[in-house]
Amino acid sequence: MKQTNTHPLIADYLDQVCRHVRVTEMHRKIRDELESHLLDLMDEQMDEGIREEETVRQAILQMGDSAAVGKQVASDL
């Protein structure tokens, strides 16, 4: 389900993650990578018949707290 328009909840999540990454040059790559993972999680749930809005929420929950993810990404750089 690769989308050209990012769902607002996903965009907000990615913004929150990137707030913890000081290397702004990496934000695009981080956003692309995490969005791809989120869309994969959504695809799995949509295949089970779950509505899109709910799949977005569930995918974000599965990814974990945005602050924790952002700090982990930042420490891996």
Side-chain angles (χ1 to χ4, degrees), residues 1-55:
M1 177 174 104
K2 302 297 178 197
Q3 301 176 9
T4 56
N5 295 327
T6 302
H7 189 283
L9 291 176
I10 291 176
D12 184 53
Y13 180 82
L14 298 174
D15 289 344
Q16 292 175 36
V17 168
C18 286
R19 284 188 190 120
H20 298 278
V21 179
R22 292 184 183 199
V23 184
T24 57
E25 299 83 18
M26 294 298 295
H27 285 190
R28 174 59 21 214
K29 183 176 180 179
I30 292 165
R31 292 178 75 85
D32 290 346
E33 178 83 17
L34 292 178
E35 184 175 18
S36 175
H37 288 303
L38 286 163
L39 293 174
D40 288 344
L41 290 170
M42 288 173 61
D43 280 343
E44 292 172 15
Q45 294 177 31
M46 288 185 85
D47 288 345
E48 297 172 10
I50 300 172
R51 293 178 311 119
E52 180 181 15
E53 192 69 23
E54 184 60 26
T55 65

Side-chain angles (χ1 to χ4, degrees), residues 58-74:
Q58 289 299 319
I60 289 171
L61 283 174
Q62 285 182 299
M63 287 294 290
D65 178 66
S66 59
V69 172
K71 289 174 185 174
Q72 181 62 49
V73 169

